[in-house]
Amino acid sequence: MIERLDAIETRYHKLEQELSNPDVYSDMNKMRALSKEKADLEETVITYKRYKEVITGIKDAKEMLKDPEMAELAREELELLETEKPTIESNLEVLLIPKDPNDSKNVIVEIRGAAGGDEANIFAGDLYRMYSRYAEKQGFKIELINAEEGEAGGFSQIEFMVKGEGAYSKLKYESGSHRVQRVPETESQGRIQTSTATVLIMPEAEDVNIEINPSDLRIDIYRSSGCGGQGVNTTDSAVRITHLPTNTVVTCQNERSQIQNKEQAMKVLKARLYEQELQKQEEALGTERRNKIGTGDRAEKIRTYNYPQNRVTDHRISYTTNNLDRIMNGAIDEVIEALIHEDQKRKLAGEKNDKI
């Protein structure tokens, strides 16, 4: 571990030198890449610096114990430092886990009403509001791409982008089937109904080399419907793009301009194709995909929202909280942090097993 930390520290200082070179400022792409790499290493370097200070402090305190006049002060200092040492070591282990290259990216979120008819669509709308409020609390920005409203409310399908540094690192565990148990507004007998909505989280693929041959695309233009502002139903501005080799279909009708809708639809298409490629790579790795918290498959039931008991349960990590009302209002931090912690624990366990 120390060798890896020394290498990271050396690389960090080299990046500092490169970024102080005036020639780098003439190449914005290079400067951006170097600045991002330096920022990614910074927390590890700062934590490692403190770790070395603690190790030196422990050594010095043990020497001071030999001096009767300094012994009491040395024992107090030694106790504090030896308490801090394992905490820093645990933090360094986590920081050395290989980072997901997509963690800093924006995400494209797709929510669909699934089993349960109108109630599923209403629940899809509830999930959209939950993620929107969470994004707002995190300082992220929501950009609506496409929305198909349900007859009784909510959405049969809604796609939106969450923009912000680290958006994918927070939301990447949300893919899968979300189940709701409650009495629908349309239920006259007061019976609890179980419905589902599926969530798909995709990293934005703008800076990824996704080759799309224009001849592989079929682009249809049609009249918009649903939410989109005044005049949305009066012009042929909605865009549907079909990627023929994979039969991947994306639509966008939120913007009033056909050009803007096409640009947004292409962003979604790139994200979909990138997500498909990531899944292929993970499936080829086999064990790594099985060790992940969820596979992202739509059919995988990841979470239950039980309204009568005000309970939310994430089935992947057996995590339960009785704060459903707060969670549906965007306070999903506790669930996301629990998922991140479990993911780190599994990766650390896997890394240790690899060393045996």
Side-chain angles (χ1 to χ4, degrees):
M1 184 172 82
I2 297 301
E3 288 179 2
R4 290 170 66 188
L5 289 166
D6 284 337
I8 288 170
E9 188 177 49
T10 300
R11 176 59 182 163
Y12 181 83
H13 292 314
K14 186 177 179 181
L15 288 166
E16 284 184 319
Q17 292 175 351
E18 288 187 59
L19 285 165
S20 66
N21 185 343
D23 293 338
V24 172
Y25 289 92
S26 61
D27 186 341
M28 290 301 295
N29 288 332
K30 184 176 182 180
M31 187 181 77
R32 194 179 296 114
L34 292 175
S35 297
K36 183 181 182 306
E37 185 182 355
K38 177 176 174 287
D40 288 344
L41 298 178
E42 191 161 18
E43 185 180 358
T44 305
V45 171
I46 291 171
T47 306
Y48 183 40
K49 180 183 177 183
R50 178 56 189 160
Y51 179 72
K52 289 191 289 186
E53 290 172 351
V54 167
I55 295 299
T56 301
I58 289 173
K59 184 180 177 182
D60 292 344
K62 286 180 177 178
E63 284 296 316
M64 288 168 60
L65 285 172
K66 299 174 184 176
D67 185 344
E69 293 183 2
M70 302 294 292
E72 186 176 349
L73 181 64
R75 274 193 291 272
E76 291 177 4
E77 181 71 9
L78 187 61
E79 185 179 346
L80 288 172
L81 292 172
E82 288 187 334
T83 300
E84 185 180 0
K85 180 172 173 278
T87 302
I88 297 178
E89 287 174 338
S90 296
N91 291 340
L92 285 170
E93 283 186 338
V94 170
L95 288 167
L96 286 174
I97 295 172
K99 289 183 171 57
D100 186 331
N102 293 315
D103 273 353
S104 63
K105 292 182 180 178
N106 301 329
V107 298
I108 292 173
V109 184
E110 178 198 282
I111 305 174
R112 292 175 182 256
D118 288 339
E119 171 65 4
N121 294 341
I122 292 170
F123 181 51
D126 294 337
L127 290 176
Y128 170 63
R129 284 187 293 277
M130 179 184 78
Y131 290 126
S132 297
R133 288 167 183 168
Y134 172 72
E136 184 180 352
K137 293 173 190 286
Q138 296 294 312
F140 298 153
K141 181 182 175 185
I142 291 283
E143 191 175 286
L144 190 61
I145 295 172
N146 185 56
E148 298 175 16
E149 295 179 351
E151 291 182 6
F155 304 95
S156 59
Q157 179 176 340
I158 184 166
E159 291 164 308
F160 56 97
M161 183 177 288
V162 181
K163 290 186 172 182
E165 181 67 27
Y168 185 75
S169 70
K170 298 288 188 181
L171 293 170
K172 64 183 177 181
Y173 306 105
E174 295 301 297
S175 287
S177 179
H178 294 239
R179 181 175 70 172
V180 63
Q181 294 174 326
R182 64 184 177 190
V183 179
E185 293 178 11
T186 55
E187 171 57 55
S188 59
Q189 302 298 317
R191 291 172 296 194
I192 294 174
Q193 179 177 320
T194 298
S195 305
T196 60
T198 59
V199 175
L200 178 62
I201 305 290
M202 300 172 285
E204 187 181 17
E206 275 199 331
D207 59 346
V208 179
N209 187 21
I210 298 292
E211 295 290 340
I212 298 179
N213 189 334
S215 64
D216 289 338
L217 302 178
R218 186 178 72 234
I219 301 176
D220 301 309
I221 309 299
Y222 61 100
R223 188 152 295 181
S224 299
S225 62
C227 52
Q230 273 189 329
V232 74
N233 297 311
T234 61
T235 58
D236 292 332
S237 60
V239 174
R240 181 188 299 111
I241 300 178
T242 304
H243 184 248
L244 300 173
T246 60
N247 198 32
T248 302
V249 180
V250 298
T251 60
C252 183
Q253 60 175 340
N254 190 59
E255 304 293 341
R256 295 183 64 180
S257 160
Q258 184 185 125
I259 293 173
Q260 289 175 315
N261 279 328
K262 184 178 177 182
E263 288 175 354
Q264 291 280 48
M266 285 300 294
K267 281 185 182 181
V268 177
L269 178 61
K270 283 184 178 181
R272 285 184 184 280
L273 296 179
Y274 181 47
E275 176 70 11
Q276 290 172 17
E277 186 59 33
L278 288 177
Q279 292 212 6
K280 285 179 186 175
Q281 292 173 10
E282 288 171 354
E283 283 164 0
L285 292 173
T287 303
E288 181 180 336
R289 185 164 174 79
R290 285 193 295 274
N291 286 341
K292 287 181 67 177
I293 295 179
T295 61
D297 294 336
R298 289 184 188 278
E300 182 189 20
K301 182 185 69 180
I302 65 168
R303 195 174 298 150
T304 295
Y305 304 74
N306 185 297
Y307 275 72
Q309 298 178 22
N310 197 39
R311 185 186 73 229
V312 175
T313 299
D314 195 291
H315 304 288
R316 297 164 295 179
I317 58 173
S318 301
Y319 180 87
T320 295
T321 176
N322 293 100
N323 290 318
L324 181 144
D325 49 345
R326 293 181 63 250
I327 283 172
M328 297 310 293
N329 201 36
I332 56 174
D333 312 63
E334 61 174 297
V335 182
I336 287 175
E337 289 304 317
L339 288 162
I340 290 172
H341 178 73
E342 178 64 24
D343 190 33
Q344 290 172 344
K345 191 170 81 173
R346 292 185 189 183
K347 285 175 178 174
L348 281 172
E351 204 170 90
K352 288 170 183 173
N353 288 339
D354 289 342
K355 293 175 183 176
I356 294 173

